[in-house]
Amino acid sequence: MTNYKKTDDIMNLPTDKEHLYWTKDKIVREIDNPEMQKHITYMKNYEINKNTLCVYNFFEDPIKGKYFSCIFDVALGIVFSTQSSAALVESLIRKGIYPSYFAQKEASRRLDFNHFNSIIVGYGLYFTTRGTTTRRFHLLALHHMKDYHMLDSTVSVFTTLAINGFKYEFELDDCHQQLPTLLNHGLYLYKSVHNSLLDHLHAHTHHERLKSSLVNNEDHLIQHHKDINFVATLSDVIEQTFSAWLSRVNYELNICMDWAFLNIKFL
């Protein structure tokens, strides 16, 4: 079960001015700050949910030797988890993908995107600062982000939409050097999904926060030379997957029949 509650119901993030801007170094410094303890939660089995803002990766240098990620969650506050950012994303892929992680990757490939960094869920878009196949990425909920800028080629700062009147900034290091391009690809993929699949299903997930977030910011969306019908892509992927499954079943069945025939023949 996820930890989601509306932002108006509960908020455990610090609201003093000095704790609206975060970096990895600051997280390490603040974990033992007595004044911060009321905002800190320790969890083994955290699940990415609608309250998740940002996941910092500490896989290569875990905090206190055991916390591989630090999550900023509107309701829970600052969460230290023994799960890595990659493990959290793997769990998200298993439980919350809309409509299919593999279809999204296939759509990305058909758009000639060299990397896959974005994960679309029913309520928004998550973005990894490196490819999902590595364990070095941070994770951003772009549906909660208002804007971003680059400090240098590998360091970015993302600013949230106002959360109960407060905006938070997350400085992320070790980002992919082509992060602006990858972000643009993710936004375009999200737009493709909503323009085809959601219209096809007569679904509607937009609300006021989504309308003013990065996922609907045309300033960061560059038109691509290719367009894609996500419904067709999803259908193709499902058909290919089902055909592969049938082939495997047929192969296993044939082996079983051969084995039975040989045993009967030589009795």
Side-chain angles (χ1 to χ4, degrees), residues 2-190:
T2 59
N3 311 303
Y4 174 61
K5 291 185 179 180
K6 292 181 180 179
T7 55
D8 293 336
D9 292 343
I10 186 170
M11 175 174 165
N12 195 37
L13 292 171
T15 56
D16 53 301
K17 188 175 180 179
E18 66 175 300
H19 290 114
L20 298 181
Y21 190 100
W22 289 92
T23 66
K24 287 185 70 174
D25 289 341
K26 188 172 184 177
I27 290 169
V28 175
R29 292 196 306 269
E30 294 294 337
I31 190 171
D32 291 321
N33 181 350
E35 297 180 0
M36 289 296 295
Q37 295 310 303
K38 62 184 178 181
H39 300 293
I40 292 177
T41 302
Y42 299 91
M43 292 187 68
K44 180 180 180 181
N45 297 316
Y46 179 84
E47 291 184 9
I48 293 173
N49 63 87
K50 292 183 181 180
N51 280 321
T52 305
L53 299 176
C54 176
V55 178
Y56 277 90
N57 168 47
F58 286 92
F59 183 77
E60 295 177 338
D61 188 20
I63 297 176
K64 295 191 173 183
K66 60 180 179 179
Y67 298 115
F68 294 106
S69 63
C70 176
I71 306 107
F72 285 79
D73 182 292
V74 174
L76 295 175
I78 303 170
V79 180
F80 290 94
S81 175
T82 54
Q83 298 166 285
S84 66
S85 57
L88 293 171
V89 167
E90 287 169 7
S91 178
L92 174 67
I93 290 171
R94 288 196 302 269
K95 299 178 182 178
I97 289 302
Y98 181 78
S100 165
Y101 176 74
F102 300 104
Q104 290 178 30
K105 291 193 74 172
E106 175 63 13
S108 181
R109 184 191 68 79
R110 294 190 185 194
L111 287 166
D112 291 333
F113 298 160
N114 295 325
H115 299 85
F116 183 74
N117 290 69
S118 299
I119 303 170
I120 302 165
V121 293
Y123 52 82
L125 175 66
Y126 291 105
F127 177 76
T128 65
T129 56
R130 284 187 174 271
T132 54
T133 56
T134 74
R135 292 189 174 273
R136 296 171 54 192
F137 60 79
H138 309 297
L139 183 75
L140 276 302
L142 294 188
H143 46 281
H144 284 305
M145 301 298 149
K146 178 68 175 178
D147 208 344
Y148 84 104
H149 64 276
M150 304 298 298
L151 292 183
D152 61 36
S153 61
T154 61
V155 180
S156 61
V157 178
F158 282 78
T159 304
T160 68
L161 296 164
I163 302 170
N164 293 346
F166 299 94
K167 292 184 179 180
Y168 295 85
E169 292 183 287
F170 301 111
E171 180 182 315
L172 307 172
D173 65 348
D174 196 30
C175 298
H176 196 288
Q177 289 192 346
Q178 297 179 11
L179 185 137
T181 299
L182 299 179
L183 179 66
N184 172 257
H185 288 175
L187 297 176
Y188 191 81
L189 182 62
Y190 180 85

Side-chain angles (χ1 to χ4, degrees), residues 221-234:
L221 185 63
I222 302 172
Q223 191 69 22
H224 289 271
H225 67 283
K226 279 194 174 185
D227 207 345
I228 190 163
N229 185 322
F230 197 82
V231 178
T233 296
L234 181 60

Side-chain angles (χ1 to χ4, degrees), residues 192-193 196-198 200-201 228-236:
S192 298
V193 171
S196 56
L197 182 62
L198 296 186
H200 178 75
L201 297 175
I228 190 163
N229 185 322
F230 197 82
V231 178
T233 296
L234 181 60
S235 299
D236 288 348

